[in-house]
Amino acid sequence: MKRRAFLTSAGAGLAAAGTAGTVAATVAAPAIAQSSQPEIKWRMASSYPKSLDTIYGAAEFIAKRVSDATDGRFQIRTFAAGEIVPALQVLDAVQNGTVECGQSAAYFYVGKDPTFCFDTAMPFGLNTRQHIAWMMHGGGLELMREVFKDYNIHHIPAGNTGAQMGGWFRKEIKSLEDLKGLKMRIGGLVGQILTPFGLVPQQLGGGDIYPALERGTIDAAEFVGPYDDEKLGFHKVAKYYYYPGWWEGSAQIPLMFNMQAWESLPKSYQTILEQACWEANSWMIAKYDTLNAAALKRLVGGGAVLRPFPRDMMQACEKAAFEFYDKLAAGNPRFKKVYDGWKPFLEQERLWFRVAENGFDSFVYSQATQQK
Amino acid sequence: MKRRAFLTSAGAGLAAAGTAGTVAATVAAPAIAQSSQPEIKWRMASSYPKSLDTIYGAAEFIAKRVSDATDGRFQIRTFAAGEIVPALQVLDAVQNGTVECGQSAAYFYVGKDPTFCFDTAMPFGLNTRQHIAWMMHGGGLELMREVFKDYNIHHIPAGNTGAQMGGWFRKEIKSLEDLKGLKMRIGGLVGQILTPFGLVPQQLGGGDIYPALERGTIDAAEFVGPYDDEKLGFHKVAKYYYYPGWWEGSAQIPLMFNMQAWESLPKSYQTILEQACWEANSWMIAKYDTLNAAALKRLVGGGAVLRPFPRDMMQACEKAAFEFYDKLAAGNPRFKKVYDGWKPFLEQERLWFRVAENGFDSFVYSQATQQK
């Protein structure tokens, strides 16, 4: 008879709070035989709500694919933000073994270390394809895994939103000057880049943005892109829809694994998880690329006014961004190590992409605009 | 004891020629139990040589990943072009069961049906991300699978070159007029689009291009992009390197499966193959995106002169391309069915991508150019 290891997590009933140090009790024991197909039940905590069928949908997609690839022997149950731990405590929950894995964006943990931003999005950084290239063939995954390792975490890219929109503004932004005193819901490193220009960054959860924008408590808000934004109804209370979201030309959402849980898996299950994550990476991008196109059409049809950010503003912000990175690198050796790998890659990619890819895209888009 | 089905292909020793009708003898028998992990040995015939470590490398990558995910129980042996069948007979070999699967580009079989081009690349068509979106969420995969089904084939996207270059020219092309009498190595539908403008398309295998270009037997040649082109040394005999390769803004390379072989697999193995193919799709794109960037830098450093195609030429070719598609659709119901799904998707994607994605890309590329 085939020997099976029932590695069901013992952590399911534990409360979310105060779980530091419970790793031994809650994560899976080492796999007994590499060649076996043990029965495993894991929990995945997401930082996202079920309403985001793009992002949370990818978590469910991965769980289904892993189950299908193992004849149901490896089961992962997904939990939305707040069901096990709050949205921004997913990394901690994975680190300490409250859950075996989590779906979250690394830049939520910028307070622990700004180096995490390289994993998700750097203002004026890599675009989505360049980001994947950096991860798969440019040394980025290895650099980021060193950072995650210090948090007892292994991670695999498992989704990306693509380039985001710049957000919804109640008034037009005609130049850099118009940022002065502007109260905007915007998070992460970009808030620190924009503050010297007079912008007042506001931290608000997804559900709090609409009422604040409606009442005028804030003047502007960025969220994701047309498909997700449409659901929250921002177009009803702020007319101008700006692009591009230069702080997120690519926003990668990985799966994070408790290191002991990851290492306990047989090689075949690790491979299956890697494949499911990479497949989900394409699946999420493709879903956004499909649904955003249809949503943008509806939003513009419903009165949203598309506006590009003023060039002087973008130039000043790009300059400020790289000065900010240089400063961070000077004071943070971990940031410096990743930055030193990332920046030459970025520069080389841009010189290539502006040729064939951008040559093709810019031509066909200009033609499409003329025809409409 | 776990029951195992040894589904080793009996076809390994068969000669490549004259294998039509050998399906029953060479493909795997139906899987005995869905929950089992049968031992399977398959052969994959590629249309590409081993020297293309990007494309052929993806075939090897898939074989390794499938083996790793099944603890070595599902083995796929890869064969380069010519080892089992010639490059352009891979579809036939898969159809008739000479091999269980193959790596090839659908547009090689344009002689059977031009509808195959939608799977690979349409001149002025989808870019790479849009192509993946069409496949995964836009109905494209379902439409193309209907076409392949008539050839007894199931297929899964498993690689893409990204936007290609326009190729190497001995003389500058300053306007549409300069295409008159130009002898160019170029294949597929685009040859038919360019012929009315006076271009004389030439069909040459990869190894025959360099001597023809050197001797002046041809005036120009397109192949893939910087990394692959550099190996063939075109820059030594033709100075001008044109972009973009508007006939291949995306070039998808799927794996093709003999339908009976595919259906004989347990669901878990089908899932693992799907995951490996989608992972390889990203892997190949990322590899090209990384290596092309470095190769372009070397080529330009070595004297290659980058030139964009003249706008009047591209506009005339785009108009001619869509007129050609309309004509094909009028006479080919299968082409029409796919075209009717593809074209509205293309139009909607362009209106969205020109906003956030192209807004981001065009800005950062223009800045990068200024800084150099």
Side-chain angles (χ1 to χ4, degrees), chain A residues 129 163 289 311 349 357 366, chain B residues 129 163 289 311 349 357 366:
Chain A
R129 272 202 23 209
D289 287 349
R311 195 166 178 88
E349 287 295 284
E357 291 292 343
S366 69
Chain B
R129 268 190 42 196
D289 288 349
R311 194 166 179 88
E349 286 297 283
E357 292 291 343
S366 69

Side-chain angles (χ1 to χ4, degrees), chain A residues 148-267:
Chain A
F148 276 101
K149 201 177 177 184
D150 287 346
Y151 295 84
N152 196 40
I153 285 173
H154 179 79
H155 88 309
I156 309 171
N160 197 310
T161 63
Q164 299 193 4
M165 287 294 284
W168 299 87
F169 291 69
R170 287 162 57 98
K171 282 188 288 193
E172 274 191 271
I173 301 296
K174 292 184 177 165
S175 80
L176 183 64
E177 288 300 303
D178 291 338
L179 295 184
K180 276 195 186 138
L182 192 88
K183 280 177 282 182
M184 180 170 181
R185 187 269 182 187
I186 191 165
L189 280 188
V190 67
Q192 296 179 61
I193 292 165
L194 284 164
T195 303
F197 299 112
L199 185 130
V200 187
Q202 309 279 312
Q203 308 294 335
L204 291 173
D208 299 327
I209 306 173
Y210 182 93
L213 204 54
E214 187 181 28
R215 284 197 303 270
T217 314
I218 56 173
D219 306 302
E222 66 93 35
F223 189 53
V224 182
Y227 179 70
D228 294 334
D229 291 6
E230 186 186 29
K231 289 186 199 165
L232 296 182
F234 301 140
H235 55 290
K236 294 173 201 154
V237 288
K239 180 171 154 188
Y240 298 101
Y241 199 18
Y242 273 88
Y243 66 89
W246 46 262
W247 45 93
E248 288 171 288
S250 161
Q252 179 173 281
I253 297 158
L255 245 52
M256 302 177 184
F257 301 89
N258 175 280
M259 192 60 83
Q260 288 71 44
W262 173 257
E263 287 172 352
S264 76
L265 293 176
K267 173 84 183 291

